[in-house]
Amino acid sequence: AVHRVPGKAGYPAGLMIDLAHAAEVARAAVAEACIVCRRVQRDLATIRSLLKDDKSPVTVADFASQAVI
């Protein structure tokens, strides 16, 4: 299904978006991010992490999954 986007900041009025294609691209990105996270989880003992202000860990998997998505 193709969806016409009304004019918004950063998007031209009438921009056409193929929602099925956008959903497939998003699904593929999340699948790749999951693979990265699983690899990090498997090797967790050898991977360093940082601590956020609330003392919860941030690992390379967090950064990598954000980059993929």
Side-chain angles (χ1 to χ4, degrees):
V2 176
H3 179 70
R4 184 176 299 279
V5 177
K8 293 183 180 181
Y11 296 100
L15 175 70
M16 301 295 283
I17 296 177
D18 181 343
L19 296 179
H21 177 70
E24 178 57 28
V25 170
R27 187 208 60 77
V30 170
E32 289 294 320
C34 288
I35 291 169
V36 168
C37 290
R38 286 186 190 128
R39 287 181 182 156
V40 169
Q41 184 180 31
R42 182 186 64 214
D43 300 328
L44 199 55
T46 61
I47 295 177
R48 292 180 28 140
S49 66
L50 305 172
L51 292 180
K52 295 188 282 187
D53 291 339
D54 66 0
K55 305 298 184 213
S56 61
V58 179
T59 67
V60 69
D62 296 296
F63 297 119
S65 61
Q66 288 176 19
V68 169
I69 293 172

